[in-house]
Each structure stands twice: as structure tokens, then as C-alpha cells.
């Protein structure tokens, strides 16, 4: 099973929506939440595009996305 990272920040309602779409689609705890505010490089890279779902292979799914988009993203990567 692949591992996934959700780049987000606290208080971001879009990030909360993204997490609520993604979590039910996973069969385990393979989602790592990374707050971009913890790192200047992440802030520079993702400040205007969060939430972003990233696979361990480096593929990214940027907001806006639906549950169907997430399922398709998971299928393409796994």
C-alpha cells in the first residue's frame, strides 16, 4: 500500500474538506499530514496551492478535487 502526504495548514477550511474526502477512502493510516507552516521551503512551494495530496512517488493532486478524483489518483499510483 502506498503512503500519502496531505500538505495543509491549520485553520484552512479547504484543507479540512480535503482531509474529510481522503480519509474514508484509505484502508489504513497511510495519510501523513504535513503543515506547510513548519518549513519555509514548503511555504514557498505550497502556499497558494494547498491542500495538495502527494504520493510517495512524487505525483501530486492539487485542490480542487473530489472523492472520485482521489480514488482515481490512488488507482493510478498503486
Amino acid at each position: 500500500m502506498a503512503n500519502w502526504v496531505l500538505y495543509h495548514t491549520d485553520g484552512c477550511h479547504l484543507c479540512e474538506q480535503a482531509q474529510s474526502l481522503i480519509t474514508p477512502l484509505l484502508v489504513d493510516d497511510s495519510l501523513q499530514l504535513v503543515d506547510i507552516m513548519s518549513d519555509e521551503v514548503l511555504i514557498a512551494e505550497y502556499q497558494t496551492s494547498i491542500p495538495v495530496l502527494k504520493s510517495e512517488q512524487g505525483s501530486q493532486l492539487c485542490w480542487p478535487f473530489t472523492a472520485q478524483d482521489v480514488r482515481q489518483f490512488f488507482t493510478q499510483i498503486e
Side-chain angles (χ1 to χ4, degrees), residues 56-74:
E56 61 188 0
Q57 293 86 5
S59 297
Q60 297 184 82
L61 181 63
C62 298
W63 190 261
F65 50 77
T66 65
Q68 180 60 36
D69 296 330
V70 173
R71 279 192 284 282
Q72 185 175 5
F73 183 67
F74 286 167

Side-chain angles (χ1 to χ4, degrees), residues 28-39:
D28 56 19
D29 292 331
S30 59
L31 182 65
Q32 176 186 3
L33 301 176
V34 175
D35 189 332
I36 65 165
M37 298 307 287
S38 65
D39 184 307

